[in-house]
Amino acid sequence: MEEVKVVGFWASPYVYRVIWALKLKGIKFEYIEEDIFNKSDLLLQLNPVHKKVPVFIHGGKPIAESIVILEYIDEMWPQNPLLLPDDPMERAISRFWIKFGDDERKRFFGFLKKTGEEQEKATIDAHNHLKILEEKVLGEKKFFGGNSIGMADLAFGWLAFWPEVVGEVAGVTLLEHSSFPNLMAWIENFKNVAVIKESHPDPHRLLGYFRGIREVRKWNYMSCKTKGC
């Protein structure tokens, strides 16, 4: 088999999507850690358009954008589990919710850089978007597509680890059993998948990372409000 590599950053949920997909498929790969704050010549060469991680390399050829990578993996290695459903309608629905999650993801964490009343508004906005997933997508299903983990689950994998840490940093409780029983059940199911259990970010390290981000973003945000941006 041609060599497979992943260029990533330890705190990126987009990178973990790719790692989880490869491990679910049983594909061996080399992981290359990237310093996204001091981007290497390798990253700039592999992804000259967006200059972001992850970058997936197969047989020396790079592919960028995490969902594009997941679809490539699913087509290249169609062994179980299939990440997208066989049925065209179910596949379209899965793609719709994946796009929804990526398009709206900033709104889920909009409270991170805000304080006071504006933070409260951003938290309500995040809760409203989570309610869409709670009521319209999951219901009582084990995973987004039913009883088996799939691409939509990997795309929303950040929900299982990142909100708790970001909420602690910002002093916000984003997910509670009383308000989001279906999402909380999904998180438990997702975390119990063997591949996910063995490959996820260190929450203590994430905590320090997001504390630093919050301080920088709060300063920038307050500076913009005072001076204008």
Side-chain angles (χ1 to χ4, degrees):
M1 186 177 74
E2 290 182 298
E3 193 173 41
V4 174
K5 298 180 182 180
V6 178
V7 180
F9 174 61
W10 71 270
S12 168
Y14 300 105
V15 172
Y16 275 94
R17 292 171 171 178
V18 177
I19 291 172
W20 291 330
L22 288 169
K23 292 199 169 189
L24 281 168
K25 295 277 191 180
I27 307 301
K28 292 183 179 180
F29 65 97
E30 177 188 349
Y31 177 76
I32 303 168
E33 178 70 12
E34 174 67 31
D35 180 358
I36 62 169
F37 304 105
N38 183 25
K39 295 175 182 177
S40 68
D41 290 338
L42 175 65
L43 177 63
L44 299 179
Q45 176 188 342
L46 294 171
N47 189 3
V49 177
H50 296 302
K51 305 176 179 65
K52 294 179 180 179
V53 294
V55 178
F56 180 82
I57 309 166
H58 184 211
K61 296 178 181 178
I63 303 172
E65 297 299 308
S66 62
I67 298 304
V68 175
I69 295 168
L70 293 192
E71 295 212 10
Y72 176 83
I73 290 170
D74 211 26
E75 292 173 8
M76 190 70 200
W77 294 282
Q79 65 262 38
N80 285 334
L82 278 173
L83 301 180
L84 281 172
D86 279 330
D87 180 75
M89 178 59 73
E90 292 299 319
R91 202 156 56 237
I93 291 170
S94 181
R95 285 180 170 133
F96 173 86
W97 289 114
I98 290 168
K99 188 174 188 308
F100 169 82
D102 279 2
D103 286 350
E104 302 294 334
R105 190 170 173 274
K106 287 184 179 179
R107 302 181 74 161
F108 289 109
F109 293 122
F111 58 83
L112 179 62
K113 66 178 182 180
K114 297 178 182 178
T115 58
E117 186 177 332
E118 293 194 350
Q119 187 185 68
E120 289 178 17
K121 289 179 180 177
T123 303
I124 291 170
D125 189 37
H127 281 155
N128 288 339
H129 279 72
L130 287 169
K131 274 294 181 186
I132 294 172
L133 298 179
E134 173 76 14
E135 297 169 1
K136 305 293 185 186
V137 186
L138 281 168
E140 296 181 0
K141 291 185 294 187
K142 186 175 181 181
F143 294 105
F144 276 77
N147 290 321
S148 301
I149 191 169
M151 193 178 297
D153 301 285
L154 301 185
F156 281 97
W158 55 268
L159 272 172
F161 300 100
W162 279 260
E164 186 176 356
V165 171
V166 176
E168 183 175 342
V169 169
V172 169
T173 301
L174 196 61
L175 287 164
E176 291 182 300
H177 278 281
S178 58
S179 300
F180 300 101
N182 296 329
L183 271 173
M184 295 303 288
W186 172 82
I187 287 171
E188 190 67 23
N189 292 328
F190 185 78
K191 284 183 172 181
N192 279 327
V193 175
V195 160
I196 310 301
K197 225 183 238 189
E198 68 184 28
S199 302
H200 59 78
D202 179 342
H204 300 294
R205 194 179 179 194
L206 271 184
L207 197 61
Y209 174 73
F210 279 108
R211 277 177 177 152
I213 286 178
R214 177 165 167 81
E215 289 309 308
V216 170
R217 288 186 176 177
K218 274 176 63 182
W219 186 90
N220 288 340
Y221 179 67
M222 295 308 294
S223 177
C224 281
K225 285 189 70 178
T226 304
K227 301 175 183 177
C229 287

